[in-house]
Amino acid sequence: MSLEGSNMSTKKQPLAEVFGYTITDNTEIAKRHRMNRLCPFNNKVPNCTKDKANNPLGVCSIYHENKPVITCPIRFRQNWLVAEDAAHFFFNEGTNWTSLTEVRLNDADGKPAGNIDVVLVAYDATSGNVVDFGALEIQAVYISGNIRAPFEYYMRDPTAYQDADWSKESNFPRPDYLSSSRKRLVPQLLYKGRILRSWNKKIAVAIQKSFFATLPKMHSVPKTDADLAWLIYDLELTTDEQGNERFNLKKVDEVFTKLDPALDSITTPSPGKLEDFIRVLQEKIDEQLETPPNNRTLAEELLNHYEED
């Protein structure tokens, strides 16, 4: 049963999911994942490896404005829905395909341009030869503030933490959408995307609805003309017959674009008014004129000190 749209109380702590389960989930499977630091979302190894392999930061999503925001890219791998959706964009119906994770991509000089999160490879069923491929990039959200402190508090005593109020704590964690797009998303598309585009290979970006909503509006094209697909997901809260709540990944939209126009939209700033910037300059000039800077040398300062004595 879906709980989407229900009147949930305002969250006073930031943790939505820890090691794959809601922080209020006390089922045996949730406890086992917390005890053994396990990842249920198809990580490269059974354990969570986020931040530190020996002391992983097992936070999959945090609450922001009472809604879960995915902060770990592995979280998007639930049931490999993202791979299936990307395959529908890359290949014709009935194509045999498989997936490879963390594939190194080099430029013409052999220098690394980064790793592709997931490469979907189409192959001939008889010979096994590669006949096509597409690249899937997964974009989670950076966090500003301190998420490890509430996480470690929770791990010491999950039951006690559930009633904790972190809303007044300094460095309360929040999603940093601007840094996520400028420092992560744009470089991925600039370097890896343009190499792939030069080979006439398609790219898909898996992104959460709240993150995509912060990006500038992009001109969409028909799916058959697109070389870039935005696969847009959200977390839907459901409850089972025993009353246990779980978040499940669900595709809520898809937008098809061309790579270069999309990059232009994301990287081109919307300039403010010139007169507003001149007003800022004038205020700073006025402050300097009202309080002239002290330009005396160190020798003059020492001389003045001894004269006063």
Side-chain angles (χ1 to χ4, degrees):
M1 180 180 70
S2 171
L3 297 181
E4 190 174 8
S6 62
N7 293 322
M8 294 184 293
S9 59
T10 300
K11 305 299 181 183
K12 295 183 178 181
Q13 58 78 35
L15 305 180
E17 294 173 295
V18 171
F19 294 113
Y21 294 86
T22 62
I23 64 167
T24 56
D25 192 333
N26 291 311
T27 58
E28 289 305 312
I29 189 171
K31 291 178 180 178
R32 183 168 65 85
H33 277 71
R34 290 195 290 264
M35 180 182 297
N36 296 297
R37 273 55 172 177
L38 299 176
C39 173
F41 301 126
N42 297 298
N43 193 19
K44 58 187 176 182
V45 294
N47 300 93
C48 173
T49 53
K50 185 178 180 182
D51 194 27
K52 301 175 183 178
N54 61 342
N55 185 23
L57 178 62
V59 179
C60 314
S61 59
I62 65 171
Y63 283 114
H64 178 63
E65 297 178 349
N66 226 37
K67 295 181 180 179
V69 176
I70 298 173
T71 57
C72 176
I74 303 300
R75 178 64 183 84
F76 282 90
R77 296 186 184 183
Q78 182 180 6
N79 300 325
W80 279 118
L81 179 64
V82 290
E84 184 179 353
D85 292 335
H88 289 156
F89 173 58
F90 296 148
F91 313 129
N92 294 325
E93 193 71 26
T95 300
N96 295 297
W97 61 271
T98 188
S99 61
L100 304 170
T101 59
E102 298 298 324
V103 180
R104 173 74 61 87
L105 180 67
N106 293 331
D107 63 16
D109 298 321
K111 296 180 180 179
N115 289 340
I116 301 173
D117 292 333
V118 184
V119 177
L120 274 65
V121 180
Y123 61 92
D124 182 87
T126 303
S127 65
N129 292 334
V130 174
V131 295
D132 198 5
F133 69 89
L136 170 62
E137 287 295 310
I138 298 175
Q139 299 298 329
V141 176
Y142 288 155
I143 301 173
S144 63
N146 187 337
I147 191 62
R148 184 167 280 279
F151 165 72
E152 291 184 347
Y153 184 98
Y154 170 77
M155 290 298 293
R156 285 196 295 270
D157 190 344
T159 303
Y161 175 87
Q162 293 169 22
D163 296 324
D165 183 355
W166 286 78
S167 59
K168 301 297 189 296
E169 295 290 328
S170 60
N171 292 323
F172 188 88
R174 292 175 175 81
D176 187 346
Y177 292 114
L178 188 59
S179 293
S180 301
S181 59
R182 290 182 176 178
K183 295 181 180 180
R184 175 68 181 175
L185 176 59
V186 169
Q188 301 298 313
L189 294 178
L190 276 173
Y191 293 97
K192 292 185 280 188
R194 283 179 169 165
I195 290 175
L196 293 161
R197 199 267 320 270
S198 71
W199 296 337
N200 292 319
K201 297 303 176 185
K202 295 179 179 179
I203 311 156
V205 176
I207 190 170
Q208 193 170 1
K209 179 181 177 181
S210 55
F211 186 0
F212 187 77
T214 67
L215 301 178
K217 184 175 177 59
M218 289 173 273
H219 176 69
S220 61
V221 300
K223 180 179 179 179
T224 53
D225 296 335
D227 54 19
L228 173 60
W230 301 86
L231 306 176
I232 303 166
Y233 298 87
D234 219 348
L235 291 177
E236 181 183 54
L237 185 63
T238 61
T239 183
D240 62 19
E241 294 178 355
Q242 287 73 42
N244 301 309
E245 294 181 344
R246 302 273 169 84
F247 282 113
N248 287 295
L249 192 73
K250 179 182 179 181
K251 191 179 77 169
V252 295
D253 201 1
E254 55 186 10
V255 176
F256 303 105
T257 66
K258 303 292 284 186
L259 177 64
D260 281 341
L263 278 171
D264 289 341
S265 296
I266 298 172
T267 58
T268 301
S270 178
K273 295 180 180 179
L274 175 61
E275 53 266 32
D276 290 341
F277 185 65
I278 291 178
R279 188 179 301 113
V280 172
L281 296 178
Q282 187 64 60
E283 290 172 356
K284 291 186 177 294
I285 289 294
D286 291 344
E287 290 174 3
Q288 288 190 6
L289 294 177
E290 291 172 4
T291 308
N294 185 350
N295 293 323
R296 289 188 297 183
T297 64
L298 177 60
E300 290 172 331
E301 291 286 355
L302 291 172
L303 179 61
N304 181 64
H305 173 72
Y306 286 119
E307 288 177 347
E308 289 176 354
D309 290 344

